[in-house]
Amino acid sequence: MNSNPLPFSDTPLAKRLLETSPAAVAVVDSKRTIIFVNQQLTDLLGFSSQELIGRHSDVIMPQLSQCASAVLDAHFTSQFSCNENRLPAEPTLAVNKSGMCVPVTISLHEISGSNQSWFLAYLAFAGSQPVDDGVLKAERLEAIEQMVSGLAHESRNAMQRAVACLDLLDLDLN
């Protein structure tokens, strides 16, 4: 584990909230060393927390340094607090355990302590390539076909019951 204390080490509630967050979360220090990851991030990228904590953030987020610099620049040139949500204009790439790039959007927040700065990074899966229109239409037609087939089957069952009742009624009348 990294020797840097966690920015929320004295507030177990904050740590618990980050652990249970539905978003993938990483906390990195000012040197971009990963000091905390939650389960959602390890699930998204396939690493264990032990494989990530203490390593440089470039292992999973090569573009984080550029994003963090942009956040700091915006902080120093604006009157607003740096704790605001800063999203890159386009999805960036994170690297999973197998070395493949995963498109994500990164939301950064600076956490300032008494003598140290950390960055809280939220990663959201940005999805894959846009779905081909032909594939989408084929999937819709397949769903419609399944629905019509189910309706026909249920209608046939009801019709067979009605015919059986009419046959019994016909026997009674004769």
Side-chain angles (χ1 to χ4, degrees):
M1 185 105 177
N2 195 3
S3 61
N4 295 338
L6 292 173
F8 43 78
S9 58
D10 58 343
T11 52
L13 177 60
K15 182 177 181 185
R16 185 73 179 141
L17 286 172
L18 291 176
E19 287 172 344
T20 59
S21 170
V25 176
V27 177
V28 296
D29 65 13
S30 58
K31 296 176 185 166
R32 310 300 182 261
T33 303
I34 300 170
I35 58 174
F36 173 82
V37 294
N38 70 355
Q39 184 67 43
Q40 287 71 15
L41 185 122
T42 58
D43 290 346
L44 175 68
L45 300 178
F47 289 97
S48 70
S49 58
Q50 292 81 14
E51 292 174 306
L52 294 176
I53 293 175
R55 296 189 65 191
H56 196 274
S57 64
D58 283 352
V59 170
I60 57 170
M61 297 177 283
Q63 297 171 335
L64 181 65
S65 296
Q66 296 167 357
C67 295
S69 297
V71 169
L72 288 175
D73 291 346
H75 173 64
F76 290 125
T77 60
S78 74
Q79 60 188 359
F80 299 107
S81 167
C82 194
N83 290 330
E84 289 182 17
N85 190 358
R86 306 279 186 193
L87 287 173
E90 296 180 6
T92 58
L93 297 175
V95 181
N96 66 15
K97 188 171 183 173
S98 64
M100 295 182 63
C101 291
V102 177
V104 296
T105 54
I106 300 174
S107 170
L108 281 180
H109 300 269
E110 183 186 16
I111 306 170
S112 296
S114 56
N115 60 356
Q116 189 158 357
S117 246
W118 299 273
F119 287 97
L120 181 62
Y122 290 99
L123 280 75
F125 183 64
S128 58
Q129 298 296 326
V131 178
D132 183 27
D133 285 339
V135 172
L136 189 59
K137 287 179 183 177
E139 288 177 354
R140 286 181 182 162
L141 285 174
E142 184 179 351
I144 291 170
E145 177 188 354
Q146 288 176 355
M147 182 187 66
V148 169
S149 174
L151 285 172
H153 176 75
E154 295 303 322
S155 298
R156 187 176 55 236
N157 287 344
M159 295 294 271
Q160 287 174 341
R161 272 186 255 125
V163 168
C165 287
L166 286 173
D167 287 343
L168 285 174
L169 195 57
D170 187 38
L171 287 175
D172 286 344
L173 290 177
N174 286 338

